[in-house]
């Protein structure tokens, strides 16, 4: 499956004249730690499949589905016999869809969908993946458009599952809708302005809540605190900047929204389990 590996960076070979690739994979082959710019979705059809990502090991059972976000280091381990779908779409072409960025921020770096944990959306996502495979194999006119349409349907199902968290609040149905829309806007705002000097007070004011109320609602909606979410966005920005050897670590820190190199290095190590220098070394294309 890995056709072009330079160091630990995989250059994904998309199907000609498209921005995606899909493997109906039966190979008994392990793939070493690697990363790539497309998102990756894996679903075993026969037998298990093991994914190691962010120091976690996921043993996927048949029909389990895992999403691995771009720039995420991961390794794959196959059984002697088995079959799985491995789908890699380039999502950079969808960057103008702000809601997509919000959903990816919430599920990053890896998101596991099992029938047990997500019984409402798992059957639909499984069906969409099978349909994506069929479209890819038939390769009829507008196949790429149809595939991206189904991929966006997957993201919508995941995103709306997260917005359902708002229903845990003791508020009316009308308020639930308002709150969901407001926090989608807030997440999009943070994504667009994460390198600015954002504060909890600022964001609470924009949302129209007290700082205490905003803190509680934001964590309920995203499953993380405001500052953790903000720092995750800043570190994601730093990862992309580190790919450019012309930027010094100081340049990367200041252009990612951090006030000092020391705070940047400390936060980078907390989130990525390595220093920026180590990350740059590991992710350098050889």
């Amino acid at each position: 499956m890995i056709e072009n590996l330079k160091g630990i960076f995989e250059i994904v070979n998309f199907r000609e004249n498209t921005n995606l690739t899909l493997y109906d994979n039966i190979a008994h082959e392990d793939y070493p730690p690697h990363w790539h710019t497309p998102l990756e979705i894996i679903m075993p059809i026969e037998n298990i499949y093991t994914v190691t990502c962010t120091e976690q090991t996921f043993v996927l059972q048949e029909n389990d589905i895992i999403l691995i976000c771009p720039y995420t280091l991961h390794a794959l381990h196959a059984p002697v016999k088995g079959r799985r779908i491995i789908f890699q779409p380039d999502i950079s072409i969808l960057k103008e869809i702000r809601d997509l960025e919000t959903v990816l921020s919430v599920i990053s770096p890896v998101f596991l969908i099992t029938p047990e944990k997500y019984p409402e959306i798992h059957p639909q996502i499984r069906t969409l993946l099978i349909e994506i495979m069929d479209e890819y194999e038939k390769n009829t006119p507008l196949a790429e458009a149809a595939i991206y349409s189904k991929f966006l349907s997957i993201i919508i199902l995941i995103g709306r599952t997260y917005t359902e968290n708002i229903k845990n609040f003791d508020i009316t149905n009308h308020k639930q809708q308002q709150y969901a829309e407001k926090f989608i806007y807030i997440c999009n705002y943070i994504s667009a302005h994460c390198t600015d000097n954002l504060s909890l007070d600022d964001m609470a004011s924009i949302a129209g809540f007290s700082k205490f109320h905003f803190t509680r609602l934001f964590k309920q909606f995203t499953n993380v605190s405001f500052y953790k979410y903000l720092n995750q966005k800043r570190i994601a920005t730093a990862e992309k900047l580190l790919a450019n050897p012309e930027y010094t670590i100081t340049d990367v820190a200041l252009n990612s929204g951090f006030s000092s190199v020391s705070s940047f290095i400390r936060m980078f190590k907390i989130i990525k389990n390595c220093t920026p220098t180590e990350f740059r070394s590991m992710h350098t294309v050889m």
Side-chain angles (χ1 to χ4, degrees):
M1 185 193 74
I2 297 182
E3 300 172 354
N4 195 346
L5 190 64
K6 295 185 177 181
I8 60 172
F9 172 62
E10 179 190 1
I11 300 175
V12 175
N13 294 327
F14 296 129
R15 171 180 275 177
E16 187 176 3
N17 298 320
T18 74
N19 294 282
L20 50 83
T21 191
L22 183 145
Y23 298 93
D24 184 358
N25 180 271
I26 59 171
H28 170 46
E29 183 178 2
D30 293 341
Y31 302 106
H34 63 284
W35 66 280
H36 42 68
T37 55
L39 181 140
E40 183 165 341
I41 302 179
I42 301 172
M43 182 177 76
I45 297 175
E46 298 173 3
N47 211 343
I48 64 170
Y49 199 61
T50 304
V51 176
T52 300
C53 181
T54 63
E55 299 186 342
Q56 299 181 75
T57 297
F58 303 89
V59 180
L60 307 182
Q61 305 299 319
E62 291 181 5
N63 297 314
D64 286 351
I65 301 163
I66 195 166
L67 283 77
I68 304 170
C69 289
Y71 302 96
T72 301
L73 195 66
H74 58 287
L76 309 176
H77 311 278
V80 174
K81 292 183 179 180
R83 180 186 176 200
R84 73 288 309 180
I85 297 172
I86 301 177
F87 174 48
Q88 296 174 315
D90 177 10
I91 61 172
S92 66
I93 63 173
L94 305 172
K95 62 183 179 181
E96 298 302 321
I97 304 176
R98 292 180 297 173
D99 290 350
L100 173 64
E101 180 69 20
T102 299
V103 173
L104 294 178
S105 296
V106 172
I107 69 173
S108 181
V110 62
F111 186 66
L112 178 63
I113 305 167
T114 66
E116 296 77 21
K117 189 172 183 180
Y118 295 100
E120 300 86 1
I121 64 172
H122 175 271
Q124 299 174 71
I125 294 177
R126 180 189 179 280
T127 297
L128 286 164
L129 279 175
I130 297 297
E131 291 175 353
I132 285 172
M133 182 171 68
D134 289 343
E135 285 281 359
Y136 190 87
E137 291 176 347
K138 292 176 181 175
N139 198 24
T140 53
L142 297 177
E144 183 182 24
I147 288 171
Y148 270 107
S149 173
K150 296 177 189 301
F151 167 71
L152 286 173
S153 293
I154 291 173
I155 297 300
I156 290 167
L157 285 167
I158 293 170
R160 286 181 172 169
T161 295
Y162 265 92
T163 60
E164 288 295 308
N165 289 338
I166 297 297
K167 291 185 177 179
N168 292 328
F169 298 128
D170 186 19
I171 53 180
T172 65
N173 289 335
H174 177 64
K175 283 289 186 181
Q176 289 169 9
Q177 179 65 23
Q178 286 185 339
Y179 281 22
E181 292 175 354
K182 183 167 289 189
F183 277 93
I184 288 173
Y185 170 79
I186 290 296
C187 289
N188 287 336
Y189 185 93
I190 295 171
S191 296
H193 298 275
C194 66
T195 59
D196 296 343
N197 185 27
L198 298 183
S199 70
L200 179 58
D201 287 332
D202 293 335
M203 297 311 301
S205 178
I206 290 173
F209 296 120
S210 69
K211 183 166 68 172
F212 172 79
H213 196 44
F214 175 81
T215 298
R216 184 171 66 87
L217 291 175
F218 187 88
K219 187 168 185 179
Q220 182 70 53
F221 185 73
T222 64
N223 292 325
V224 296
S225 70
F226 162 71
Y227 280 112
K228 183 171 183 180
Y229 187 91
L230 174 61
N231 282 320
Q232 286 174 338
K233 299 303 301 180
R234 288 174 170 172
I235 294 302
T237 299
E239 290 179 51
K240 297 173 184 177
L241 294 176
L242 285 167
N244 187 340
E246 295 184 4
Y247 286 118
T248 67
I249 299 301
T250 299
D251 292 335
V252 173
L254 298 180
N255 284 289
S256 300
F258 292 91
S259 59
S260 69
V261 176
S262 60
S263 62
F264 167 58
I265 293 174
R266 181 173 63 255
M267 186 55 59
F268 197 97
K269 194 164 186 177
I270 289 173
I271 293 177
K272 302 299 296 184
N273 293 312
C274 64
T275 67
T277 301
E278 291 168 341
F279 179 90
R280 170 173 274 173
S281 176
M282 287 190 298
H283 290 68
T284 297
V285 179
M286 304 302 290

